[in-house]
């Protein structure tokens, strides 16, 4: 038979099965600026530096991504003690570990099959006791609004939950294809997921002049236009904002909920920065709390999914990929489908589930680890608040750069003036002008930022996203380098 | 404006945005038997037992899923020590931890941003040093066949890698839609992923009479038929087999590779059970090793992706969701797209990456933890070998049940004779006969198995999948209960 033929000569030159022309076309459309060409070049530069190549800088500073620990933020001692105890339960006999850490570890292990973090769970939504703790956390946070552990799904970071929810939503073809409203500027996970799912991305623009707030009239404009060519079914909000660092007011959130209700949109609230609020007068309001304060006409009907994670806030534990989503007013049959869908991937990583549990159930007053926990959390959040202020202040001293207050989250998203000549040179190279700007900054200073074009922005405006995560002394140097670079760049192209 | 109207009365009765009729139709098509209705009922039964309800059994025995730790298998001490050290690096000062565990932990932490498992990595494929260790492991395993760390992608368990690769492959519509060949019986992750991606599932049947081996003639039949209505582009093989427990011979693997080469199919080799080989005369041969032994006509051209994980073998650490895939002969542009795609999800969980590192770089002779590591690994694998034999032997003493040797992996997949009357009763209930059988067994004995229909089987044959994971004494009781149940069931319906 033909399958027994040895070494057919044509094999040597046979074309590949999988080529750029024969691969999934939706995957090709995916873009992800946070890790785009700038980051690839930054990795290269790091390697070149380590190989002794001469550069105008001695280190690459990665201010491109909200990766707190990589920038020197310290983990919360209590969290890591419990994780060590859960990893190696022999340590439960070690008298140097505090009792509250041990009791948390015992409770987590008791909820794991075979008392091991290495086990899966029979309950696909995540460990029972963790979901109970999440529900109690949400109730405390939202002033007593009830939360059912059965509405909690643990996830592999917030990204996983967001992609899963979008996946559930997508249907229809052509003019009935599902459309999803996302803010511009946006976190590019959304555009990447929508591209991959073949859903229609509906852009609504945040108001830069009003500190990146949401305007209902802009939402309405975007929706009305989109209705001509697709079926808009969901509205995504990131609050506090990424990449824009704003904190939406309670009134704004109420207006958005009313808009979603009137227009029959499912609401997706990305609330992973809920503890990252710095500006005076600003406060985090969860969409759920506001929804329930609006009364049963809204709280009984509006479909809302809220996302949280272990990656941000004072924890910054991105590497553990922990997270949860709470689903509110979801149709029971859809919920059963959601449960089925998540069960195929078996379960979110258990260490991440354990960490999520600690975040929602930290040391309580009177417990041995409480004081140190508060001290560490406060220190991290105060430092972030200070750096948010510092970033805004220094950036606004630079002619040609203007930066809204960094009210929350971990990023500044200043607007930059790029001279005509530079725009021209970028265009000639086929680059976005702010990509050209950021790439030049990287080559000259070692500072790695993400160009605004990677997040979307009003045509003719240019921005970059810079994290506020480097330690204060480093951040000061970084900001001064940005200033110096911007002045030089402006001069060069004027 | 309309968005300010308060409490419109129609809101109270408004229909949901997301319903079973308006959700993603491909998600609805997904089935996942390993966690289907039987498992849902098992969870209910456990709750009922815990609430004091009387049942004909005192506990539910979950022999449905390869979740080793949940069944009492102990983690490898060394692995957990290193994970504890990485979680809470203060422990590096603890003299009770062995030096080799500390040096492994230091090496892993040095590769993490900010020396923390809480950091992401700039290199999206996974931690550099882990990928280097994986590459060296593969070279050792395959007798020196070279492996480039750049071809290694760390994954969130093997499932994640498999879904990602299938996603890359899917394109075309109608008769040009991508088809993927999978074995029947299959692990239902494959059918679930193909359904979700809207790819065409091409079934090839394993030969039960020849201990679930692969017949090239059957592959050819399946392929030729499929070519009439889709574009077959990939061939998936699970070796050692799940749910069927066979270990493919070297000759068989060579034939399969030649078939794939001749027919221009990308090969996906699910090799997560590579250390789980029990039967005498059986040996694990990696697809890569065989490919390279076949000479450059094959090794330079056949596109192969191999998957491994921390979840099986002697580790059984499912909860950590660690894994890797190695891509061989992949087109460079496609590889760049793959790298982009994985970067959107940021990174696989770092504790899982760390664990994968330990699996591929365990204690070496002369290191303080070596003897104990070997002792623990041998004990686990010997116990599994013993239980594989025991399962096969006892099942084959039951009239109406015949079971192929459990050569490897963690499952038996015996064929069961179901009396006509029972088949009729099942049909009347709209159930598959083996689902009816397994559900009855669960209700009467507390034993949770997965019916063969969940994996696919030749029409008119019935099977169940049972793990060999329960401790020997429990497994003996379980097998006797299965025997008793089967006899009673056969009698009842004769």
């Amino acid at each position: 038979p033909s399958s027994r033929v040895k070494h057919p000569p044509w094999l040597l030159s046979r074309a590949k099965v999988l080529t750029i022309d024969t691969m999934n076309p939706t995957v090709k459309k995916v873009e992800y600026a946070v890790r785009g060409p700038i980051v690839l070049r930054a990795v290269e530069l790091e390697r070149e530096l380590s190989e002794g190549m001469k550069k105008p800088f001695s280190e690459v500073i990665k201010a491109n991504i909200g990766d707190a620990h990589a920038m020197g933020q310290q983990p919360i001692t209590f969290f890591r003690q419990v994780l060590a105890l859960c990893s190696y339960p022999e340590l439960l006999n070690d008298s140097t570990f505090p009792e509250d850490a041990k009791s948390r570890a015992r409770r987590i292990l008791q909820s794991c099959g075979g008392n091991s973090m290495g086990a899966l769970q029979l309950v696909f939504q995540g460990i029972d006791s963790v979901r109970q703790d999440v529900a109690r956390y949400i109730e405390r946070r939202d002033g007593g609004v009830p939360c059912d552990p059965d509405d909690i799904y643990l996830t592999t970071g917030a990204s996983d939950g967001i992609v899963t929810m979008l996946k559930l939503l997508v249907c229809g073809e052509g003019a009935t294809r599902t459309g999803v409203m996302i803010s511009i500027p946006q976190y590019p996970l959304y555009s990447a997921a929508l591209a991959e799912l073949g859903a229609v991305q509906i852009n609504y623009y945040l108001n830069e002049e009003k500190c990146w707030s949401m305007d209902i009239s802009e939402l309405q404009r975007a929706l009305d236009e989109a209705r001509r060519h697709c079926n808009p079914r969901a509205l995504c909000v990131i609050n506090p904002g990424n990449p824009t660092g704003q904190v939406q007011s309670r009134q704004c959130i109420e207006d958005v909920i009313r808009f979603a209700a009137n227009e029959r949109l499912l609401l997706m609230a990305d609330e992973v920065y809920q503890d990252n609020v710095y500006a005076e007068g600003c406060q985090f309001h969860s969409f759920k709390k506001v929804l329930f304060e609006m009364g049963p006409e809204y709280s009984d009907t509006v479909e809302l999914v809220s996302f949280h994670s272990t990656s941000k806030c004072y924890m910054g534990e991105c590497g553990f990929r922990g997270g949860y989503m709470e689903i509110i007013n979801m149709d029971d049959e859809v919920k059963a489908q959601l449960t089925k869908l998540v069960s195929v991937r078996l379960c979110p990583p258990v260490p991440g589930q354990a960490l999520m549990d600690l975040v929602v159930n930290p040391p309580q007053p009177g417990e041995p680890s409480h004081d140190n926990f508060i001290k560490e959390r406060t220190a991290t959040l105060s430092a972030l608040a200070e750096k948010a202020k510092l970033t805004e202040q220094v950036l606004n001293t630079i002619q040609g750069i203007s930066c809204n207050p960094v009210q929350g989250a971990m990023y500044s998203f200043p607007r930059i003036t790029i001279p005509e000549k530079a725009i021209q040179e970028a265009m000639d190279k086929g680059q976005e002008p702010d990509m050209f700007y950021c790439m030049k900054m990287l080559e000259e200073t070692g500072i790695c930022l993400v160009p605004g074009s990677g997040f979307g922005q009003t045509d003719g405006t240019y921005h970059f996203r810079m994290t506020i995560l480097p330690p204060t002394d480093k951040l000061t140097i970084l900001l001064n380098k940005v200033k110096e670079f911007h002045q030089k760049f402006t001069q060069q192209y004027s």
Side-chain angles (χ1 to χ4, degrees), chain A residues 297-323:
Chain A
E297 294 85 346
Y298 294 93
S299 63
D300 288 352
T301 60
V302 175
E303 292 149 84
L304 169 65
V305 188
S306 163
F307 304 91
H308 195 17
S309 134
T310 59
S311 302
K312 308 298 173 185
C313 300
Y314 61 91
M315 305 80 82
E317 297 273 17
C318 316
F320 281 78
R321 313 310 301 130

PDB file of all heavy atoms in Angstrom, chain A residues 297-323:
ATOM      1  N   GLU A 297     -36.383  47.258  39.489  1.00  0.00           N
ATOM      2  CA  GLU A 297     -36.582  47.408  38.043  1.00  0.00           C
ATOM      3  C   GLU A 297     -35.277  47.154  37.303  1.00  0.00           C
ATOM      4  O   GLU A 297     -35.270  46.683  36.181  1.00  0.00           O
ATOM      5  CB  GLU A 297     -37.085  48.823  37.684  1.00  0.00           C
ATOM      6  CG  GLU A 297     -38.467  49.159  38.199  1.00  0.00           C
ATOM      7  CD  GLU A 297     -38.430  49.684  39.624  1.00  0.00           C
ATOM      8  OE1 GLU A 297     -37.378  49.531  40.290  1.00  0.00           O
ATOM      9  OE2 GLU A 297     -39.436  50.236  40.084  1.00  0.00           O
ATOM     10  N   TYR A 298     -34.182  47.509  37.943  1.00  0.00           N
ATOM     11  CA  TYR A 298     -32.870  47.284  37.332  1.00  0.00           C
ATOM     12  C   TYR A 298     -32.201  46.022  37.882  1.00  0.00           C
ATOM     13  O   TYR A 298     -31.710  45.189  37.130  1.00  0.00           O
ATOM     14  CB  TYR A 298     -31.972  48.513  37.537  1.00  0.00           C
ATOM     15  CG  TYR A 298     -32.505  49.704  36.778  1.00  0.00           C
ATOM     16  CD1 TYR A 298     -33.365  50.625  37.379  1.00  0.00           C
ATOM     17  CD2 TYR A 298     -32.186  49.873  35.434  1.00  0.00           C
ATOM     18  CE1 TYR A 298     -33.882  51.689  36.662  1.00  0.00           C
ATOM     19  CE2 TYR A 298     -32.703  50.936  34.713  1.00  0.00           C
ATOM     20  CZ  TYR A 298     -33.555  51.837  35.340  1.00  0.00           C
ATOM     21  OH  TYR A 298     -34.061  52.881  34.616  1.00  0.00           O
ATOM     22  N   SER A 299     -32.202  45.896  39.210  1.00  0.00           N
ATOM     23  CA  SER A 299     -31.420  44.818  39.814  1.00  0.00           C
ATOM     24  C   SER A 299     -32.005  43.439  39.521  1.00  0.00           C
ATOM     25  O   SER A 299     -31.311  42.430  39.657  1.00  0.00           O
ATOM     26  CB  SER A 299     -31.288  45.026  41.326  1.00  0.00           C
ATOM     27  OG  SER A 299     -32.557  44.979  41.940  1.00  0.00           O
ATOM     28  N   ASP A 300     -33.274  43.383  39.128  1.00  0.00           N
ATOM     29  CA  ASP A 300     -33.857  42.084  38.779  1.00  0.00           C
ATOM     30  C   ASP A 300     -33.709  41.750  37.304  1.00  0.00           C
ATOM     31  O   ASP A 300     -34.076  40.649  36.880  1.00  0.00           O
ATOM     32  CB  ASP A 300     -35.356  42.045  39.120  1.00  0.00           C
ATOM     33  CG  ASP A 300     -35.590  41.987  40.613  1.00  0.00           C
ATOM     34  OD1 ASP A 300     -34.605  41.827  41.355  1.00  0.00           O
ATOM     35  OD2 ASP A 300     -36.754  42.113  41.040  1.00  0.00           O
ATOM     36  N   THR A 301     -33.248  42.704  36.510  1.00  0.00           N
ATOM     37  CA  THR A 301     -33.282  42.462  35.071  1.00  0.00           C
ATOM     38  C   THR A 301     -31.940  42.626  34.362  1.00  0.00           C
ATOM     39  O   THR A 301     -31.636  41.863  33.441  1.00  0.00           O
ATOM     40  CB  THR A 301     -34.278  43.419  34.377  1.00  0.00           C
ATOM     41  OG1 THR A 301     -33.859  44.761  34.611  1.00  0.00           O
ATOM     42  CG2 THR A 301     -35.689  43.232  34.908  1.00  0.00           C
ATOM     43  N   VAL A 302     -31.148  43.615  34.774  1.00  0.00           N
ATOM     44  CA  VAL A 302     -29.925  43.875  33.994  1.00  0.00           C
ATOM     45  C   VAL A 302     -28.912  42.748  34.176  1.00  0.00           C
ATOM     46  O   VAL A 302     -28.564  42.384  35.304  1.00  0.00           O
ATOM     47  CB  VAL A 302     -29.301  45.236  34.400  1.00  0.00           C
ATOM     48  CG1 VAL A 302     -27.957  45.445  33.671  1.00  0.00           C
ATOM     49  CG2 VAL A 302     -30.246  46.374  34.090  1.00  0.00           C
ATOM     50  N   GLU A 303     -28.479  42.194  33.073  1.00  0.00           N
ATOM     51  CA  GLU A 303     -27.467  41.133  33.116  1.00  0.00           C
ATOM     52  C   GLU A 303     -26.088  41.772  33.246  1.00  0.00           C
ATOM     53  O   GLU A 303     -25.671  42.560  32.399  1.00  0.00           O
ATOM     54  CB  GLU A 303     -27.553  40.279  31.842  1.00  0.00           C
ATOM     55  CG  GLU A 303     -28.834  39.464  31.764  1.00  0.00           C
ATOM     56  CD  GLU A 303     -29.286  39.245  30.328  1.00  0.00           C
ATOM     57  OE1 GLU A 303     -28.790  38.304  29.690  1.00  0.00           O
ATOM     58  OE2 GLU A 303     -30.140  40.036  29.845  1.00  0.00           O
ATOM     59  N   LEU A 304     -25.411  41.403  34.331  1.00  0.00           N
ATOM     60  CA  LEU A 304     -24.127  42.019  34.642  1.00  0.00           C
ATOM     61  C   LEU A 304     -23.122  40.924  34.966  1.00  0.00           C
ATOM     62  O   LEU A 304     -23.447  39.965  35.677  1.00  0.00           O
ATOM     63  CB  LEU A 304     -24.305  42.942  35.868  1.00  0.00           C
ATOM     64  CG  LEU A 304     -23.031  43.486  36.523  1.00  0.00           C
ATOM     65  CD1 LEU A 304     -22.270  44.419  35.587  1.00  0.00           C
ATOM     66  CD2 LEU A 304     -23.374  44.217  37.839  1.00  0.00           C
ATOM     67  N   VAL A 305     -21.921  41.060  34.434  1.00  0.00           N
ATOM     68  CA  VAL A 305     -20.831  40.174  34.827  1.00  0.00           C
ATOM     69  C   VAL A 305     -19.687  41.062  35.293  1.00  0.00           C
ATOM     70  O   VAL A 305     -19.300  42.001  34.599  1.00  0.00           O
ATOM     71  CB  VAL A 305     -20.360  39.277  33.666  1.00  0.00           C
ATOM     72  CG1 VAL A 305     -19.360  38.249  34.165  1.00  0.00           C
ATOM     73  CG2 VAL A 305     -21.540  38.594  32.997  1.00  0.00           C
ATOM     74  N   SER A 306     -19.194  40.784  36.485  1.00  0.00           N
ATOM     75  CA  SER A 306     -18.098  41.573  37.033  1.00  0.00           C
ATOM     76  C   SER A 306     -16.860  40.685  37.185  1.00  0.00           C
ATOM     77  O   SER A 306     -16.968  39.518  37.564  1.00  0.00           O
ATOM     78  CB  SER A 306     -18.511  42.135  38.392  1.00  0.00           C
ATOM     79  OG  SER A 306     -17.363  42.555  39.107  1.00  0.00           O
ATOM     80  N   PHE A 307     -15.697  41.257  36.874  1.00  0.00           N
ATOM     81  CA  PHE A 307     -14.445  40.490  36.886  1.00  0.00           C
ATOM     82  C   PHE A 307     -13.478  41.058  37.921  1.00  0.00           C
ATOM     83  O   PHE A 307     -13.344  42.275  38.060  1.00  0.00           O
ATOM     84  CB  PHE A 307     -13.777  40.537  35.509  1.00  0.00           C
ATOM     85  CG  PHE A 307     -14.685  40.045  34.417  1.00  0.00           C
ATOM     86  CD1 PHE A 307     -15.506  40.927  33.728  1.00  0.00           C
ATOM     87  CD2 PHE A 307     -14.753  38.694  34.107  1.00  0.00           C
ATOM     88  CE1 PHE A 307     -16.363  40.481  32.732  1.00  0.00           C
ATOM     89  CE2 PHE A 307     -15.608  38.239  33.118  1.00  0.00           C
ATOM     90  CZ  PHE A 307     -16.419  39.131  32.426  1.00  0.00           C
ATOM     91  N   HIS A 308     -12.807  40.163  38.629  1.00  0.00           N
ATOM     92  CA  HIS A 308     -11.761  40.582  39.540  1.00  0.00           C
ATOM     93  C   HIS A 308     -10.598  39.591  39.400  1.00  0.00           C
ATOM     94  O   HIS A 308     -10.740  38.546  38.757  1.00  0.00           O
ATOM     95  CB  HIS A 308     -12.303  40.624  40.967  1.00  0.00           C
ATOM     96  CG  HIS A 308     -11.418  41.371  41.928  1.00  0.00           C
ATOM     97  ND1 HIS A 308     -10.437  42.239  41.514  1.00  0.00           N
ATOM     98  CD2 HIS A 308     -11.364  41.378  43.295  1.00  0.00           C
ATOM     99  CE1 HIS A 308      -9.827  42.748  42.575  1.00  0.00           C
ATOM    100  NE2 HIS A 308     -10.366  42.237  43.662  1.00  0.00           N
ATOM    101  N   SER A 309      -9.486  39.908  40.027  1.00  0.00           N
ATOM    102  CA  SER A 309      -8.266  39.140  39.786  1.00  0.00           C
ATOM    103  C   SER A 309      -7.293  39.314  40.949  1.00  0.00           C
ATOM    104  O   SER A 309      -7.419  40.234  41.754  1.00  0.00           O
ATOM    105  CB  SER A 309      -7.669  39.649  38.466  1.00  0.00           C
ATOM    106  OG  SER A 309      -6.303  39.878  38.538  1.00  0.00           O
ATOM    107  N   THR A 310      -6.312  38.428  41.002  1.00  0.00           N
ATOM    108  CA  THR A 310      -5.255  38.565  42.011  1.00  0.00           C
ATOM    109  C   THR A 310      -4.083  39.393  41.483  1.00  0.00           C
ATOM    110  O   THR A 310      -3.116  39.615  42.204  1.00  0.00           O
ATOM    111  CB  THR A 310      -4.684  37.182  42.401  1.00  0.00           C
ATOM    112  OG1 THR A 310      -4.156  36.551  41.224  1.00  0.00           O
ATOM    113  CG2 THR A 310      -5.754  36.283  43.009  1.00  0.00           C
ATOM    114  N   SER A 311      -4.185  39.851  40.229  1.00  0.00           N
ATOM    115  CA  SER A 311      -3.007  40.415  39.553  1.00  0.00           C
ATOM    116  C   SER A 311      -2.726  41.881  39.877  1.00  0.00           C
ATOM    117  O   SER A 311      -1.625  42.353  39.636  1.00  0.00           O
ATOM    118  CB  SER A 311      -3.168  40.292  38.030  1.00  0.00           C
ATOM    119  OG  SER A 311      -3.339  38.957  37.660  1.00  0.00           O
ATOM    120  N   LYS A 312      -3.740  42.614  40.367  1.00  0.00           N
ATOM    121  CA  LYS A 312      -3.570  44.062  40.497  1.00  0.00           C
ATOM    122  C   LYS A 312      -3.722  44.468  41.962  1.00  0.00           C
ATOM    123  O   LYS A 312      -3.356  43.747  42.845  1.00  0.00           O
ATOM    124  CB  LYS A 312      -4.599  44.752  39.603  1.00  0.00           C
ATOM    125  CG  LYS A 312      -4.579  44.257  38.167  1.00  0.00           C
ATOM    126  CD  LYS A 312      -3.236  44.522  37.491  1.00  0.00           C
ATOM    127  CE  LYS A 312      -3.139  43.881  36.110  1.00  0.00           C
ATOM    128  NZ  LYS A 312      -1.824  44.052  35.525  1.00  0.00           N
ATOM    129  N   CYS A 313      -4.294  45.646  42.211  1.00  0.00           N
ATOM    130  CA  CYS A 313      -4.514  46.148  43.571  1.00  0.00           C
ATOM    131  C   CYS A 313      -3.203  46.154  44.349  1.00  0.00           C
ATOM    132  O   CYS A 313      -2.174  46.512  43.799  1.00  0.00           O
ATOM    133  CB  CYS A 313      -5.592  45.315  44.274  1.00  0.00           C
ATOM    134  SG  CYS A 313      -7.169  45.390  43.378  1.00  0.00           S
ATOM    135  N   TYR A 314      -3.227  45.786  45.622  1.00  0.00           N
ATOM    136  CA  TYR A 314      -2.010  45.798  46.429  1.00  0.00           C
ATOM    137  C   TYR A 314      -1.275  44.458  46.313  1.00  0.00           C
ATOM    138  O   TYR A 314      -0.166  44.306  46.828  1.00  0.00           O
ATOM    139  CB  TYR A 314      -2.353  46.081  47.898  1.00  0.00           C
ATOM    140  CG  TYR A 314      -3.271  45.032  48.486  1.00  0.00           C
ATOM    141  CD1 TYR A 314      -2.757  43.908  49.133  1.00  0.00           C
ATOM    142  CD2 TYR A 314      -4.659  45.147  48.369  1.00  0.00           C
ATOM    143  CE1 TYR A 314      -3.593  42.933  49.627  1.00  0.00           C
ATOM    144  CE2 TYR A 314      -5.496  44.175  48.865  1.00  0.00           C
ATOM    145  CZ  TYR A 314      -4.962  43.071  49.493  1.00  0.00           C
ATOM    146  OH  TYR A 314      -5.793  42.100  49.975  1.00  0.00           O
ATOM    147  N   MET A 315      -1.910  43.451  45.646  1.00  0.00           N
ATOM    148  CA  MET A 315      -1.303  42.124  45.575  1.00  0.00           C
ATOM    149  C   MET A 315      -0.288  42.051  44.436  1.00  0.00           C
ATOM    150  O   MET A 315       0.844  41.615  44.628  1.00  0.00           O
ATOM    151  CB  MET A 315      -2.374  41.043  45.328  1.00  0.00           C
ATOM    152  CG  MET A 315      -3.527  40.998  46.291  1.00  0.00           C
ATOM    153  SD  MET A 315      -4.792  42.278  45.918  1.00  0.00           S
ATOM    154  CE  MET A 315      -5.758  41.520  44.611  1.00  0.00           C
ATOM    155  N   GLY A 316      -0.770  42.400  43.230  1.00  0.00           N
ATOM    156  CA  GLY A 316       0.106  42.388  42.056  1.00  0.00           C
ATOM    157  C   GLY A 316       0.599  41.005  41.670  1.00  0.00           C
ATOM    158  O   GLY A 316       1.640  40.870  41.027  1.00  0.00           O
ATOM    159  N   GLU A 317      -0.156  39.963  42.035  1.00  0.00           N
ATOM    160  CA  GLU A 317       0.305  38.590  41.805  1.00  0.00           C
ATOM    161  C   GLU A 317      -0.150  38.100  40.424  1.00  0.00           C
ATOM    162  O   GLU A 317      -0.926  37.152  40.303  1.00  0.00           O
ATOM    163  CB  GLU A 317      -0.251  37.665  42.907  1.00  0.00           C
ATOM    164  CG  GLU A 317       0.221  38.000  44.309  1.00  0.00           C
ATOM    165  CD  GLU A 317       1.545  37.320  44.677  1.00  0.00           C
ATOM    166  OE1 GLU A 317       2.250  36.856  43.764  1.00  0.00           O
ATOM    167  OE2 GLU A 317       1.851  37.273  45.882  1.00  0.00           O
ATOM    168  N   CYS A 318       0.368  38.720  39.365  1.00  0.00           N
ATOM    169  CA  CYS A 318      -0.030  38.338  38.000  1.00  0.00           C
ATOM    170  C   CYS A 318       0.315  36.891  37.679  1.00  0.00           C
ATOM    171  O   CYS A 318      -0.423  36.208  36.968  1.00  0.00           O
ATOM    172  CB  CYS A 318       0.694  39.189  36.958  1.00  0.00           C
ATOM    173  SG  CYS A 318       0.785  40.930  37.306  1.00  0.00           S
ATOM    174  N   GLY A 319       1.465  36.442  38.182  1.00  0.00           N
ATOM    175  CA  GLY A 319       1.984  35.140  37.783  1.00  0.00           C
ATOM    176  C   GLY A 319       1.117  33.967  38.211  1.00  0.00           C
ATOM    177  O   GLY A 319       1.217  32.885  37.645  1.00  0.00           O
ATOM    178  N   PHE A 320       0.259  34.184  39.213  1.00  0.00           N
ATOM    179  CA  PHE A 320      -0.551  33.069  39.707  1.00  0.00           C
ATOM    180  C   PHE A 320      -1.821  32.858  38.899  1.00  0.00           C
ATOM    181  O   PHE A 320      -2.489  31.851  39.052  1.00  0.00           O
ATOM    182  CB  PHE A 320      -0.889  33.267  41.198  1.00  0.00           C
ATOM    183  CG  PHE A 320       0.235  32.896  42.106  1.00  0.00           C
ATOM    184  CD1 PHE A 320       1.308  33.758  42.286  1.00  0.00           C
ATOM    185  CD2 PHE A 320       0.255  31.672  42.755  1.00  0.00           C
ATOM    186  CE1 PHE A 320       2.373  33.404  43.105  1.00  0.00           C
ATOM    187  CE2 PHE A 320       1.310  31.309  43.575  1.00  0.00           C
ATOM    188  CZ  PHE A 320       2.372  32.182  43.757  1.00  0.00           C
ATOM    189  N   ARG A 321      -2.162  33.808  38.064  1.00  0.00           N
ATOM    190  CA  ARG A 321      -3.356  33.694  37.214  1.00  0.00           C
ATOM    191  C   ARG A 321      -4.593  33.301  38.038  1.00  0.00           C
ATOM    192  O   ARG A 321      -5.294  32.340  37.732  1.00  0.00           O
ATOM    193  CB  ARG A 321      -3.157  32.696  36.064  1.00  0.00           C
ATOM    194  CG  ARG A 321      -1.871  32.798  35.272  1.00  0.00           C
ATOM    195  CD  ARG A 321      -1.492  34.167  34.747  1.00  0.00           C
ATOM    196  NE  ARG A 321      -2.446  34.789  33.863  1.00  0.00           N
ATOM    197  CZ  ARG A 321      -2.883  36.040  34.018  1.00  0.00           C
ATOM    198  NH1 ARG A 321      -2.478  36.797  35.026  1.00  0.00           N
ATOM    199  NH2 ARG A 321      -3.719  36.554  33.188  1.00  0.00           N
ATOM    200  N   GLY A 322      -4.872  34.096  39.059  1.00  0.00           N
ATOM    201  CA  GLY A 322      -6.087  33.887  39.858  1.00  0.00           C
ATOM    202  C   GLY A 322      -7.130  34.925  39.494  1.00  0.00           C
ATOM    203  O   GLY A 322      -6.799  36.049  39.103  1.00  0.00           O
ATOM    204  N   GLY A 323      -8.390  34.579  39.627  1.00  0.00           N
ATOM    205  CA  GLY A 323      -9.442  35.548  39.350  1.00  0.00           C
ATOM    206  C   GLY A 323     -10.811  34.932  39.580  1.00  0.00           C
ATOM    207  O   GLY A 323     -10.929  33.732  39.847  1.00  0.00           O
TER     208      GLY A 323
END
